[in-house]
Amino acid sequence: MDFKRLTPLLLLAVSANLSAQMTDTDDDFGIDITIGAEKKLLPDLELSVEGNLRTQDETKRVERYVIGADLSYKFLNTKKFDMKVSGGFEYMWNQKLEETKFKGYNYNTFDEEGNMMTDYTRYDFNVNERYWRNRHRTSLGVTAEYSPTKRWAFQLKETVQYNHYCYEDSINQTEWRWKGDDEDRLMPSSDQKAVDAKDRFVLRSKLTVEYNIKGLPLNPFVSIDYGCGLNYTANKWKYSAGADYTISKKHKFTLFYRFQTEDDNDEPNGHMLGIGYKIKL
């Protein structure tokens, strides 16, 4: 296999998809900051912990705070091919932005003979203020990594995620309704609503290609991550390109760009710049 030709093709595929998505004016932009630490408990058993901050709304507001831990065991360790299993837990504080929901209905008037005089559509709508909602995630994954040469690494990770969204009440809501005999005034009224708890299972498949530049502590990478709902309908795509910079044997810095899109309104669609730091203890 000619790996020198394969990587440009992968980069081209990711870039083409990103370029097509950038024409969507509704896309958001956020910053993702992660700080983590790794510790080998045994030769093939490793524990990692990390904290994460992510922004949204063109970086004006926080989208989430996350703390988590992951335990992984490498049960197959050869010169070119490795496999490991992992289990993790994360707790998140998510902020949902203000949301407006419209409901339209036909409004008709008739004369004394029953002939229609007017025919148009009016809209009622609700405005939900931004609010925080807690959530926790449990993950179980299997990772396979193939390194045909010292420079190339190909990784495929399959993960089942269980997400529990906590119950949240006292969400401020403003209801706008047409009032009056002729419904000629749009009037507001205040109310509060609650969001029920829910459970979501997702299967994620992530393919990553990494290359080590000879003579430099720099590893560029590209990845494609697809998630589908198991107990509900959802499609989640993440396209990333970036690089790991090894400061020393114990310190690593990561910079990446990502475009993500999904149809379940779980995370904002759009562009993200990510920065990460990890230390090995």
Side-chain angles (χ1 to χ4, degrees), residues 62 99 152 197 223:
V62 173
E99 182 180 27
W152 292 95
S223 68

Side-chain angles (χ1 to χ4, degrees), residues 11 23 30 41 52 67 80-81 86 106 115-116 121 133 135 138 140 185 192 202 204 208 221 241-242 246 251 262:
L11 287 169
T23 58
L41 305 179
N52 175 261
I67 56 173
K80 292 187 176 182
F81 187 74
S86 60
N106 292 329
N115 298 316
M116 183 180 295
T121 301
R133 186 182 191 184
R135 166 185 168 196
T138 304
L140 180 63
R185 292 178 298 167
Q192 288 190 329
V202 179
R204 303 201 73 101
T208 304
F221 63 84
T246 303
H251 305 272
E262 54 185 65

Side-chain angles (χ1 to χ4, degrees), residues 77-82 145-150:
N77 190 356
T78 68
K79 187 176 181 180
K80 292 187 176 182
F81 187 74
D82 302 330
E145 184 169 327
Y146 175 55
S147 303
T149 69
K150 293 181 179 180

Side-chain angles (χ1 to χ4, degrees), residues 157-197:
K157 183 175 183 179
E158 298 289 334
T159 309
V160 176
Q161 297 177 338
Y162 161 66
N163 296 273
H164 177 76
Y165 298 76
C166 300
Y167 172 84
E168 182 64 37
D169 60 2
S170 302
I171 300 172
N172 294 326
Q173 181 182 78
T174 303
E175 300 178 349
W176 291 84
R177 300 291 184 266
W178 289 97
K179 302 293 184 180
D181 295 337
D182 297 326
E183 295 193 339
D184 57 354
R185 292 178 298 167
L186 191 60
M187 302 292 292
S189 62
S190 297
D191 196 3
Q192 288 190 329
K193 61 172 291 186
V195 180
D196 293 333

Side-chain angles (χ1 to χ4, degrees), residues 3 21 102 116 211 236 275:
F3 298 106
Q21 300 291 351
F102 291 89
M116 183 180 295
Y211 180 74
K236 305 164 178 277
I275 303 170

